[in-house]
Amino acid sequence: MFSQLLLALVCGGYATGAAFGWGSSELALAMGDFGLSGAAGLAAASCFWYARTHSTRFRPAWLLFAASSGMAGFGNAVWGWYEVVLGRHVPSPSPADFCFLLFAPPAIIGLLVLARRPVTRAGWVCLGLDSWLIGGSLLTLSWSLALAHTAHFEGETVAHAALNLAYPLLDIVLVSMVLALHFRRSSANRSAINTAIAALALTVLCDALFTSPLLRENYRSGQILDAGWFAGYMLMAYAPWVAREESGSPRGEGRGAAQPTRPIAGSLAALTPYLAAAVCTLGILYNVLDGHRVDRVVLFTGCTVVLALVVRQGIMLLDNISLTQELAQKENHFRSLVQGSSDVIMIAAPTGILRYVSPAAAGVYGRDAEELVGSELASLIHPEDLGRVVHEVRRFLAAPPAEEPTTRIECRFRSGDGEWLNVESTVNRHHGGLIFNSRDVTERVRLQAQLQHTAEHDPLTDLPNRALFTRRVQQALTGRRVTDAGTAVLFIDLDGFKAVNDTVGHQAGDELLVQAARRLQESVRAGDSTARFGGDEFAALILGDGTRDPAARERRIREVAERLRVTLSQPYVVEGGTEVRVAASIGVAFAEPGITPGTLMRNADLAMYRAKQAGKGRVELYAPQMQADVVRRAGMAGRLRTALHEGEFALLHQPVVELATGRITALAAQARWRSPQGILFTPDEFLCMSETRRDPEGGRSREDAPGAELARWTLENALEQASRRRRTGHGVPVYVRLSAGRLLDKSLPPKHLESLLLRHALPAGSLVLELTGEDLRAPLDELERRLVSLRRFGARVALDGFGTGFGAMSALRRLPVDVLRLDRTLVDGVVESARLHKITAGLLRIAGDLGLQSVAEGVDDPEQARALRAMGCTHGQGLAFSGALDEQRLRQALDRGCYPVPKEASEGAKRVLVGGALPVRTVAVGGPAALSHAPLRSNNETPVPPT
C-alpha cells in the first residue's frame, strides 16, 4: 500500500504540474523532456534490475521491457537536447523519432513472451489469427478515419510520410498485442503482467493522441499529455515488483473476487474475433456512408480479416469436434470405471435425495441401484449415526473448497437383508450436492475391535488387563463419579498357587485361574470392574455408593473384600477331577480427594503385601504407615549399599560346637554393620534388605541389589578369612548363608563360586552353604544340578530352618544335603514343652537315620544343650557356648579348641514342663567370649513389600 500510494502521489504531482504549466515555460520544457526521460530511464533500470536478481521464466520479457523503456528514455533525452539545450524546434525526422520507433518492437516481443503459450500448432495459428483480427480491424478503422489522409502526402518527403505512418502502425500492432495478451495472459504473476499491460496501453494511448493532426500541431513539451507518458513509464517501473509484494500476502489472488470474473473473461475471449470483424465492418461502412469510394487498403484489409475469421472458425470447429470425441471417450471410460468399481458411488442432491447410484450397490448393500435412486440418504444411515453425519456434512459444505476439497465419514448403512454394515465414505462436492464414494469396512471394524479387545484384556481369563483397569480407575477418579465417596481398589493375590503349578501342573494352574476369574467377576456388582495383572494377581474396582460416613464406607468395602476372599478360597476342581485349594490375600485402598490412579493402585498393592506378611488369607486396609515403611526400607537399602562401599561392614563368626565334647567343629559367618556414628545394627535391622521378593508373575523369586552385594561380600570375605585361618593351622569349615536365588542367578559370572574356591585353595568340606526353607521355592531341578556341581568342588550343603521351612521334606528327598540345621523355634521351648520336645526328637531321629549331621541353632542356655544332646543332636550353636566373635577373640577360641560341656542334671533337678511354654530368656551366660545380643532370625522371616 505504501509503494502504491507513493506511485499515485508522484504521478499526481507530475499531472498537477503539467496542468498548470509548471510555473514557467523553461521548467515546462525541462520537465516535459528530461522528466519523461528520467521516468523512462527509471523504468528501464527497474525492469533490468529485476531480471538480473530474479530467475523466472519471464526474465526475457522484463529485459525486453527494459530495452523498450530505454529507447523511450533516449528519445525524450534527444528531444530535450533540441528544445532545452539548443533552444530550437525538433526537426522531423530526427534521432528522437528513431528512438521512439524502436520503443514498440521490444515491447511487442515482450508481450509475446508474457502470453500463455499454446500447446498445439493450431493454438499458435489461432494466436496469430487473433492478433491479425484485432490489428486488421484497428488498421481498417484508423485508415478510414485518419491514415488515408496521411498517406496522400503532397510536398512532403518520403521519409517524413513514412515516419507519420510508422507511429500509428506500430501503435496498432502494440494495441493488438495488448488486447490479445489480455485474453491469453499467463496465470503466473498475474498482477505484474496486468500492470505492464496497463503501462503499455497508457503509453500507446498517448502516442495515438500525439499522432493525431489536431493535437500534434498544438503540442508543446510539458503539457498534460506528458503526464500520461510519465504515468505509463512509472507503472512500467513498478510492474515487476508487484509479484514480489503479492508473494508475502496470504490472500494471493483473492478467491472471492477472481472467481466471478472468470466467466466474463472467457465470454469476451470467445467474442473477440466477432468484435474485431465488427470494427472492420464499421471502418468500411464509414467510407461508404461518407461518400468516399472504398479504399484499396480498406478493402484488402477487410478481406484478410474476414478470411482470417473464417479460417479461425474452421480451426475452432475442428477443435470442438475433436474435444467432443475426446469427451465422449472419457465419459465412456468413466462409466466403465464406475460400473466396474467395487466401491459404491452415489450422487446426492442438496436436499439429500439420491440422484445416481452405481451398480456396485447390489454387491455391497444387497440392494439394486434403481431401488436406491430417488430415496433419501438419511433413510439408509443408522439413527445413532445420523446426527453425527449431518453435522459433518454441514461443516464440510461451510468450509472453503480450496482448504478442504474432501472429507471422510464412517457410519452404518442398512443392507438389503436389514443388517447394518460399517461403511466408509469419501465425500466430494458436486454442483451444490455431494458425491459419496463408499466401501464396506465391516470386517476391518470387527478386526479393529478384536485387536482392541486383545490389547486390553488378559488372553487366559478375558478379564481387563492392567492398562484397561488403570484407565477405568482414572475414569472413576476424574469422571462424573468423582463425587461418589467410597470408591476403592482391591488387589488380590492367590496364596499357594505356585504349589498348584508345581504339584498338579501348569495346565491345572491355568484352569484354576480361569475359575478364579469367573468367581471374581460374578461376585462384584454391575458397574464394578475386575482385572488380572498377571500370574495369580487380580484386582477389582468397587465404585462408591455416596456414603460419607468413613466407618460405614470401611465396613461396606471390608464386607465385599471378605466375600471375595471366601469365594476365592473355596476348593477348585481342576484337570482330572483333582481338588485343590488356595487362599486369597486382599489389600484395600480407598480413593481420597486428589489421589492419582497410580497412587491408589500402589496403596492397594502395599496393603495386599501387608496381608501376606500378616499370615496370608486375610484382608488388610491401606494405612499411611505402610508407605512410610516402604520409604524407610528403601532408605535402609540405600544406606546398606553405601555402607558396603564405605567399608562399614565387619564379618564375625559364631562357633558351631560338638555337643558331646564341646569341640569347635565349624564357624558360622555373620555380617555386622557399624555406622559412622558408632551404632551397631543387628541382623534383624539390615538383613531384611537382602530377602527375596516374590515376582509379580508368580515365577522365580528375585532379589534386591543391596542384598545381593551383601551376600557376595560375605561369601568372598568368609572364604578369604577361612584361607588365612587355614594357613595358621585352624582349618575349620565355615557356614555361609547363600540363597538359592543367588545360586541360580544368571547375571553372575559362570562358575563364580567355583572360581572362589579354586582361588583360595580350600580343601573339600571347608565351605558349607546354608539353604533356608524359603530357598526351596526355587525350581528343585535346577537347584539340584547346581548343588551337585558345587559338591564336586568340595562344598557341602546345609538345610537351614529345618522343621519350619516350606517343602523341607521334598528338598530333603531331592537335594544333596549334608547337614540339617534345626530352626531356633524348635529349640526355644524344647525344655518347657513336652509336645515340642517330641517334635524335635522326631526330626533329630530323621537326621540320624539319614546319617546327617544336626546343628541346633539358638542354643542359649545349658539346659537346652543337655536336652538336645540327649535327643541325639550332634552340634549346637548359640549363647550357651559363644556369641559372634571378632577376629581376635575368634583366634583365642580356636587356640583353646573347645567349650565346657553342660553336665547331666540329677533326676530331681530335671524338669520338663508339660503344657504352655514359658517366656523365652533374653539374657544367658555363655563361654568366656560370649556376647549378649538379640536372637538371630532367618533372613526370610520379615517379608518386604514392593518398593
Side-chain angles (χ1 to χ4, degrees):
M1 292 300 293
F2 175 76
S3 58
Q4 295 173 6
L5 181 62
L6 180 62
L7 178 65
L9 290 176
V10 172
C11 294
Y14 191 95
T16 302
F20 293 98
W22 298 103
S24 65
S25 58
E26 292 80 4
L27 183 59
L29 289 175
M31 294 299 296
D33 296 332
F34 292 112
L36 292 181
S37 178
L42 178 63
S46 175
C47 294
F48 180 77
W49 180 254
Y50 182 84
R52 286 289 304 274
T53 57
H54 293 75
S55 298
T56 64
R57 65 186 184 93
F58 297 128
R59 182 179 179 182
W62 298 115
L63 289 175
L64 291 169
F65 290 150
S68 176
S69 300
M71 290 297 101
F74 281 121
N76 284 291
V78 172
W79 197 285
W81 174 262
Y82 281 104
E83 285 192 335
V84 179
V85 178
L86 300 180
R88 60 189 180 89
H89 292 290
V90 181
S92 181
S94 67
D97 293 320
F98 292 102
C99 291
F100 289 141
L101 290 177
L102 291 176
F103 166 80
I108 294 171
I109 300 174
L111 290 173
L112 287 173
V113 174
L114 292 179
R116 185 172 63 241
R117 299 178 181 179
V119 296
T120 60
R121 186 177 301 175
W124 284 105
V125 174
C126 288
L127 177 61
L129 292 175
D130 290 342
S131 301
W132 172 243
L133 286 171
I134 298 173
S137 301
L138 293 177
L139 178 61
T140 302
L141 186 61
S142 301
W143 189 272
S144 300
L145 295 177
L147 294 183
H149 302 288
T150 305
H152 295 286
F153 54 90
E154 293 180 359
E156 296 183 355
T157 62
V158 177
H160 187 271
L163 184 63
N164 290 336
L165 288 175
Y167 276 114
L169 291 178
L170 287 174
D171 287 340
I172 289 173
V173 175
L174 192 57
V175 169
S176 301
M177 290 306 304
V178 166
L179 292 176
L181 179 62
H182 176 71
F183 299 113
R184 290 180 174 269
R185 63 184 181 274
S186 175
S187 59
N189 297 336
R190 184 180 297 272
S191 297
I193 295 175
N194 289 339
T195 305
I197 291 174
L200 293 176
L202 186 58
T203 304
V204 170
L205 177 62
C206 293
D207 288 345
L209 294 174
F210 173 75
T211 56
S212 63
L214 181 61
L215 291 180
R216 183 159 188 172
E217 295 298 331
N218 299 321
Y219 171 76
R220 296 290 183 272
S221 295
Q223 293 180 349
I224 191 65
L225 186 60
D226 291 345
W229 278 312
F230 183 84
Y233 298 146
M234 294 302 294
L235 281 175
M236 183 58 73
Y238 174 68
W241 305 99
V242 176
R244 183 181 179 184
E245 293 176 3
E246 284 189 345
S247 63
S249 173
R251 291 186 298 270
E253 299 178 357
R255 291 185 299 270
Q259 286 180 354
T261 60
R262 288 177 183 173
I264 299 175
S267 301
L268 291 176
L271 294 175
T272 299
Y274 303 101
L275 294 176
V279 172
C280 181
T281 304
L282 289 176
I284 297 174
L285 289 176
Y286 175 80
N287 270 334
V288 174
L289 295 177
D290 198 28
H292 301 86
R293 64 184 182 86
V294 178
D295 192 274
R296 293 179 181 178
V297 175
V298 174
L299 182 61
F300 176 77
T301 306
C303 292
T304 55
V305 167
V306 173
L307 180 61
L309 180 61
V310 172
V311 173
R312 188 184 187 283
Q313 290 303 109
I315 294 175
M316 293 302 297
L317 181 60
L318 294 177
D319 193 26
N320 288 338
I321 294 174
S322 176
L323 289 176
T324 302
Q325 294 176 350
E326 184 179 357
L327 181 62
Q329 293 178 356
K330 290 183 177 180
E331 183 177 359
N332 293 332
H333 181 65
F334 171 75
R335 287 185 178 275
S336 62
L337 287 177
V338 170
Q339 293 178 0
S341 174
S342 59
D343 293 351
V344 180
I345 299 176
M346 301 181 295
I347 300 178
T351 58
I353 303 299
L354 294 177
R355 299 300 186 190
Y356 171 80
V357 179
S358 65
V364 176
Y365 300 150
R367 304 175 67 177
D368 293 336
E370 293 79 5
E371 178 186 349
L372 294 175
V373 173
S375 61
E376 292 187 1
L377 181 62
S379 62
L380 303 177
I381 301 176
H382 196 284
E384 295 179 0
D385 301 338
L386 183 58
R388 177 172 53 84
V389 173
V390 171
H391 178 270
E392 175 63 19
V393 168
R394 289 177 177 174
R395 185 202 61 79
F396 172 66
L397 293 176
E403 294 182 0
E404 191 173 3
T406 63
T407 187
R408 181 168 294 181
I409 297 175
E410 280 198 27
C411 59
R412 285 168 289 179
F413 270 31
R414 187 191 301 275
S415 64
D417 55 4
E419 295 184 358
W420 294 102
L421 304 176
N422 293 95
V423 175
E424 180 186 66
S425 302
T426 302
V427 185
N428 296 271
R429 296 174 179 85
H430 176 69
H431 299 302
L434 296 171
I435 298 179
F436 290 83
N437 192 347
S438 306
R439 62 202 63 87
D440 183 9
V441 293
T442 303
E443 290 301 322
R444 189 194 72 185
V445 171
R446 290 176 181 171
L447 179 60
Q448 288 177 345
Q450 181 180 354
L451 292 176
Q452 183 72 16
H453 182 86
T454 303
E456 294 180 340
H457 289 76
D458 175 57
L460 178 63
T461 62
D462 202 39
L463 289 181
N465 58 14
R466 184 183 294 270
L468 180 57
F469 185 78
T470 303
R471 189 157 60 249
R472 290 182 177 177
V473 173
Q474 174 72 30
Q475 294 171 357
L477 296 181
T478 60
R480 63 179 182 85
R481 307 196 64 102
V482 68
T483 57
D484 291 352
T487 297
V489 169
L490 281 62
F491 267 42
I492 306 165
D493 187 89
L494 301 181
D495 304 320
F497 174 73
K498 178 68 166 52
V500 175
N501 276 342
D502 293 341
T503 57
V504 188
H506 288 275
Q507 180 65 32
D510 290 345
E511 291 185 16
L512 187 150
L513 292 175
V514 172
Q515 295 181 34
R518 188 182 307 115
R519 294 182 186 182
L520 179 63
Q521 203 164 18
E522 293 173 352
S523 300
V524 298
R525 304 169 306 173
D528 295 339
S529 299
T530 58
R532 179 187 178 225
F533 288 171
D536 58 346
E537 288 190 355
F538 296 85
L541 172 64
I542 309 299
L543 298 178
D545 58 357
T547 303
R548 297 292 180 180
D549 183 13
R553 177 188 68 177
E554 180 178 333
R555 185 169 55 253
R556 182 181 71 88
I557 295 299
R558 186 177 285 275
E559 290 175 356
V560 173
E562 287 290 345
R563 185 175 69 252
L564 291 178
R565 185 189 65 81
V566 172
T567 302
L568 295 175
S569 301
Q570 296 296 322
Y572 296 85
V573 178
V574 295
E575 182 180 9
T578 306
E579 182 179 287
V580 294
R581 290 177 178 269
V582 293
S585 296
I586 301 178
V588 181
F590 288 98
E592 304 296 339
I595 196 171
T596 63
T599 303
L600 179 60
M601 295 170 65
R602 182 206 62 192
N603 294 345
D605 198 14
L606 290 174
M608 185 265 288
Y609 273 93
R610 180 58 60 90
K612 296 180 73 65
Q613 280 182 303
K616 304 180 180 179
R618 54 185 296 148
V619 176
E620 285 286 341
L621 271 61
Y622 171 78
Q625 182 60 35
M626 297 180 185
Q627 178 61 23
D629 291 343
V630 172
V631 174
R632 179 182 60 80
R633 292 178 184 275
M636 182 64 74
R639 293 172 59 191
L640 176 62
R641 183 184 288 108
T642 303
L644 282 171
H645 294 165
E646 298 294 333
E648 298 177 8
F649 271 86
L651 189 63
L652 306 183
H653 293 81
Q654 188 174 22
V656 178
V657 178
E658 187 177 15
L659 294 180
T661 63
R663 185 171 55 90
I664 300 176
T665 59
L667 300 173
Q670 298 176 4
R672 291 292 187 272
W673 177 14
R674 186 178 298 277
S675 70
Q677 294 78 19
I679 302 175
L680 184 65
F681 292 99
T682 64
D684 286 339
E685 294 175 314
F686 71 83
L687 287 182
C688 60
M689 293 297 103
S690 64
E691 71 171 345
T692 58
R693 300 177 186 171
R694 194 176 57 81
D695 188 276
E697 298 297 331
R700 184 179 302 173
S701 60
R702 55 184 175 87
E703 304 186 12
D704 57 303
E709 292 184 24
L710 176 61
R712 190 179 304 116
W713 179 88
T714 302
L715 177 63
E716 293 176 357
N717 280 269
L719 292 179
E720 182 181 356
Q721 293 184 21
S723 178
R724 286 203 303 265
R725 286 192 301 271
R726 180 175 175 274
R727 288 195 296 269
T728 60
H730 299 293
V732 292
V734 60
Y735 284 76
V736 179
R737 183 166 295 175
L738 192 66
S739 67
R742 294 192 181 95
L743 283 175
L744 302 177
D745 190 0
K746 303 299 184 182
S747 63
L748 291 176
K751 305 295 183 180
H752 174 66
L753 208 155
E754 290 88 339
S755 63
L756 287 176
L757 292 172
L758 293 176
R759 184 199 309 169
H760 296 292
L762 293 173
S766 298
L767 173 64
V768 182
L769 297 175
E770 296 184 30
L771 298 179
T772 64
E774 290 295 328
D775 293 329
L776 305 182
R777 294 180 182 271
L780 293 181
D781 293 338
E782 295 183 35
L783 186 59
E784 182 181 7
R785 287 193 295 268
R786 181 72 176 123
L787 292 177
V788 169
S789 174
L790 288 173
R791 281 171 61 88
R792 296 195 194 103
F793 284 82
R796 300 170 66 199
V797 180
L799 183 60
D800 194 14
F802 183 68
T804 59
F806 174 84
M809 292 302 174
S810 177
L812 193 59
R813 180 176 60 87
R814 296 282 303 277
L815 300 181
V817 177
D818 301 295
V819 180
L820 291 180
R821 292 175 59 87
L822 291 180
D823 190 76
R824 74 165 47 243
T825 59
L826 299 176
V827 176
D828 283 345
V830 71
V831 177
E832 293 85 358
S833 173
R835 184 182 183 87
L836 188 58
H837 187 280
K838 294 179 179 180
I839 294 174
T840 305
L843 294 175
L844 289 173
R845 279 196 301 272
I846 294 176
D849 294 341
L850 294 176
L852 304 178
Q853 286 186 5
S854 55
V855 179
E857 187 178 356
V859 182
D860 293 337
D861 60 45
E863 294 178 1
Q864 293 174 343
R866 283 194 295 268
L868 290 169
R869 184 175 56 195
M871 285 186 247
C873 183
T874 60
H875 295 78
Q877 173 187 340
L879 297 179
F881 305 103
S882 173
L885 306 177
D886 58 17
E887 191 63 26
Q888 181 180 359
R889 294 182 179 181
L890 178 62
R891 225 176 4 251
Q892 296 174 359
L894 291 175
D895 290 338
R896 190 167 56 249
C898 64
Y899 286 97
V901 178
K903 296 180 180 181
E904 293 293 339
S906 62
E907 288 298 328
K910 292 181 182 180
R911 54 186 180 89
V912 176
L913 299 182
V914 179
L918 296 178
V920 178
R921 304 180 185 181
T922 59
V923 178
V925 178
L931 296 177
S932 176
H933 61 79
L936 295 177
R937 295 295 178 183
S938 171
N939 292 355
N940 294 301
E941 289 182 4
T942 309
V944 180
T947 57

